[in-house]
Amino acid sequence: MLLNDLMNPEALQAYVDSLFAEGDERLEDGGIRCGKCGGMKTCHGTGVLGGILLPIRCECQKQADDERLNAIHEAEKERRREELRRIGFASSAYREKTFATDLDPESPASNACRKYCEQWEELKRSNIGLLIYGDVGTGKSFYACCIANEIINRYQEQVYVTTIPTLIAALQSFDNRDAMLATIESVTLLVLDDLGAERETSFAEEQLFTIVDHRLLAGKPTIITTNLSLKEIKNPNTLSQRRIFDRVLEMCPAQLRCDGRNRRKDAMSARREQAIKALR
């Protein structure tokens, strides 16, 4: 209902009449009572609008309007989430790793990662990162991506998930270097997958130091996964590694070991069985 319509008696009356629906009650003064909630759909104006029958929202109309606005807001949030996923995951495969697809949701690792998400606001304020370590295939990358997806879903925060070798390769490009370093410093949550998989060269070590140093100075949470043992990280072989690992431990005071069955082998076995059945 537009303001101009209030000054047009015929348009106003037509709009008021349009509010009447099956089951509604028309009162002697021309007012309309909602047949669903019993609330009034009209009221009589006062002051300069004295004597004019005006439209108002009954309770069920208020509820319908609220539901419509909530649906619009939720759609906007989902668009925001999709955009954050698009720019936040270096690989589309990372988007599929969520707690909803966890095959062992009662495991200590899964529970710890869920709690990290639940306590995110406090952990973010205190800049508490997470180091996830363990043998190959035990779910380190999976749970790191689960956390990143959950932070997007629940909080609509900016994340960036990538492997350390990929990030080091990107920093070799003069054109991409400044933008990549800006991303490292700016995103709310950075996930660095596969510490220790980078080539053991002076260049790679220097780039890795740059990455962790920039992130440490940014003062924002970081999740790092590695096949290295905690003993190897705490007792590095070289001075260069010590410079890097000391910063990793400072960024990630929370440390989680993933152990147990090799999930990757289990998944491969399941796919192999599926292929055998399909080809019989």
Side-chain angles (χ1 to χ4, degrees):
M1 190 68 192
L2 300 177
L3 180 60
N4 288 341
D5 293 333
L6 293 175
M7 311 308 295
N8 186 329
E10 293 182 359
L12 178 59
Q13 186 60 51
Y15 181 76
V16 169
D17 290 340
S18 72
L19 299 177
F20 190 85
E22 183 178 355
D24 288 351
E25 178 184 2
R26 178 81 73 172
L27 305 181
E28 292 183 0
D29 62 0
I32 301 174
R33 187 188 305 278
C34 179
K36 293 181 180 179
C37 67
M40 293 300 298
K41 290 186 172 182
T42 60
C43 70
H44 288 280
T46 59
V48 295
L49 299 177
I52 299 176
L53 198 61
L54 300 173
I56 58 174
R57 296 190 303 161
C58 62
E59 288 305 315
C60 60
Q61 183 60 54
K62 291 178 183 178
Q63 181 178 351
D65 289 345
D66 289 343
E67 290 175 355
R68 180 176 58 83
L69 288 174
N70 287 338
I72 292 173
H73 291 157
E74 201 50 49
E76 291 174 349
K77 286 181 180 180
E78 186 55 33
R79 283 194 292 271
R80 169 67 173 165
R81 294 184 188 108
E82 284 300 317
E83 179 65 10
L84 289 171
R85 292 188 193 100
R86 185 186 67 80
I87 63 178
F89 293 101
S91 169
S92 59
Y94 288 147
R95 305 182 195 181
E96 302 170 2
K97 302 180 189 299
T98 67
F99 288 120
T101 63
D102 188 359
L103 299 179
D104 194 10
E106 300 302 322
S107 68
S110 182
N111 287 327
C113 290
R114 292 170 193 268
K115 288 179 181 178
Y116 187 90
C117 296
E118 292 169 3
Q119 301 298 320
W120 168 248
E121 295 290 0
E122 180 180 348
L123 295 171
K124 180 176 66 172
R125 284 193 296 271
S126 301
N127 184 22
I128 303 297
L130 177 63
L131 176 67
I132 307 178
Y133 66 98
D135 293 335
V136 174
T138 51
K140 303 181 299 297
S141 298
F142 174 81
Y143 283 123
C145 290
C146 284
I147 293 173
N149 270 301
E150 188 67 12
I151 296 304
I152 289 175
N153 289 337
R154 189 180 297 197
Y155 304 101
Q156 290 88 61
E157 298 270 28
Q158 284 186 312
V159 308
Y160 189 69
V161 183
T162 188
T163 67
I164 289 178
T166 298
L167 193 52
I168 290 175
L171 290 176
Q172 292 184 26
S173 169
F174 180 80
D175 294 335
N176 296 335
R177 185 177 179 83
D178 288 346
M180 188 57 66
L181 289 175
T183 297
I184 291 170
E185 293 175 349
S186 65
V187 292
T188 308
L189 174 64
L190 178 66
V191 176
L192 299 175
D193 193 22
D194 234 356
L195 174 67
E198 67 280 354
R199 296 177 61 188
E200 293 185 2
T201 65
S202 59
F203 175 81
E205 288 180 339
E206 192 59 37
Q207 299 313 304
L208 181 54
F209 175 82
T210 297
I211 292 167
V212 297
D213 191 54
H214 273 65
R215 189 61 184 178
L216 181 62
L217 293 175
K220 297 176 181 179
T222 305
I223 295 175
I224 297 176
T225 75
T226 182
N227 294 333
L228 299 173
S229 68
L230 196 57
K231 182 179 179 180
E232 289 175 305
I233 295 173
K234 290 184 175 180
N235 299 280
N237 294 321
T238 67
L239 179 60
S240 295
Q241 287 182 340
R242 180 175 295 280
R243 293 171 69 221
I244 295 167
F245 292 169
D246 281 353
R247 283 164 173 76
V248 167
L249 292 172
E250 185 176 351
M251 286 194 298
C252 303
Q255 291 139 22
L256 173 66
R257 175 172 173 78
C258 281
D259 51 19
R261 296 179 61 179
N262 190 313
R263 292 167 177 247
R264 195 168 297 149
K265 287 183 178 179
D266 288 346
M268 290 174 62
S269 296
R271 293 183 66 191
R272 187 181 302 112
E273 291 177 7
Q274 182 182 7
I276 292 172
K277 290 179 180 179
L279 296 174
R280 280 177 180 171

